[in-house]
Amino acid sequence: METIIGKDVEVAANFLKKGKLVAIPTETVYGLAANALNKQAILAVFKAKNRPQFDPLIVHTNSLEKATEFAKIPAKLTLLAKSIWPGPLTILAPKSDKIDPLITSGSDLVAIRIPNHPLTLALLEQIDFPLVAPSANPFGYVSPTSAMHVANQMKEKVDYILDGGICNIGLESTIISENDGNLYIHRLGGLSIERIESIINEKVQLAIQNNSNPQAPGMLDKHYSPKTKLQIVADFIDLNLNENEAIIAFGNTPFPVQENVLNLSEKGDINEAAHNIFAVLRQLDEQSFTKAYIKLLPNIGLGLAINDRIKRAANQ
Ligand code: TXA
Ligand code: MG
């Protein structure tokens, strides 16, 4: 199958209307999108990603009004959605009958969000159905943050790649639910806990799966993994790197700039590190390093979500 990379929203819309797969840019990561109301198209998404059907998909739409057709969004999350959407927030809420259980892996809850990217919002304007869109990477691998990342691994699997440049945020959306008035975070992501708490003016709780038999394998201990072995260290000082090994630094380092020192953000900016983390993990494989060393980042803002991805990527 010949893949076309382009910026043509109408072409993308036409493929989706025919039940085909289109990679779409979002502010978080690229998604592998298909018509969420077309069972064959949904099945094709699982197949293209080599993703088990017990790992549910996020539904993407472009208005809160439409979102409420598919999910019964509780009060506090409605407030949060009004403040954040379009943005890196995914709401987990009771699904309506319009959502095929295939999308939710049989759960009564559906995950739904409005992504914030001008091309994808324009695309959603041109179609009259929502999109399922998991990250556009093979199951278990690092999420794509550019059209080239998608093309490198998925070009035979998609019909069109809508090129929206490099993803602004660079980490997947934060997944949140509300139960009895309490808010629970199911996946740390591109919307920080601090920001959520400042909007709703109360504390949220972490409900993140950390075992090997999760309800949601996005939360598997081992995920987001490059082929290069990644090891978390407390300090780089004692390392004796050979030429096949790399360091992933953050901020000022005592190392000279050289091929095997990659930096998430030379100025030590957490948001910049979020923006770069997945590209840097891919770079390890592209440069065929056998091993890389990394230190966890400060646990503030998006640092929490970055550290979550680093730990999963490092899990053997
Ligand atoms: O930022 C994002 O959310 C990106 C972009 C493309 O929107 N999408 C994304 O999708 O990260 P994916 O499929 O790679 O990760 C979605 C994760 C699943 O692995 C699962 O953990 C969780 O969301 N999820 C989806 N639906 C769920 C449900 N009904 N119940 C529990 N977890 C769910
Ligand atoms: Mg994913």
Side-chain angles (χ1 to χ4, degrees), residues 212-281:
S212 53
N213 184 24
Q215 281 181 304
M219 303 292 101
L220 277 177
D221 284 354
K222 182 170 165 59
H223 213 74
Y224 310 103
S225 301
K227 293 190 183 71
T228 305
K229 189 173 153 54
L230 189 67
Q231 186 178 329
I232 299 169
V233 291
D235 216 311
F236 296 133
I237 300 292
D238 295 328
L239 294 178
N240 235 327
L241 287 194
N242 71 38
E243 58 180 18
N244 298 320
E245 296 180 334
I247 276 176
I248 302 177
F250 173 69
N252 249 327
T253 69
F255 307 106
V257 177
Q258 55 191 52
E259 269 242 305
N260 60 346
V261 178
L262 313 177
N263 205 320
L264 293 172
S265 165
E266 274 165 28
K267 55 180 192 268
D269 178 328
I270 296 261
N271 293 330
E272 184 176 37
H275 181 77
N276 290 332
I277 180 74
F278 287 147
V280 166
L281 291 178

Side-chain angles (χ1 to χ4, degrees), residues 6-18:
K7 298 177 194 300
D8 195 326
V9 170
E10 208 176 310
V11 169
N14 285 334
F15 275 119
L16 291 167
K17 286 174 193 168
K18 286 186 229 153

Side-chain angles (χ1 to χ4, degrees), residues 26 28-31 49 51 55-58 60 90 92 104 107 109-111 113 133-135 172-173 175 187 216-219:
T26 83
T28 59
V29 301
Y30 274 72
K49 263 189 76 100
R51 176 171 174 137
D55 189 3
L57 305 175
I58 296 176
H60 296 64
T90 291
L92 194 56
T104 67
S107 168
L109 303 179
V110 64
R113 85 178 193 101
S135 51
E172 300 84 351
S173 59
I175 303 180
R187 176 175 72 180
M219 303 292 101

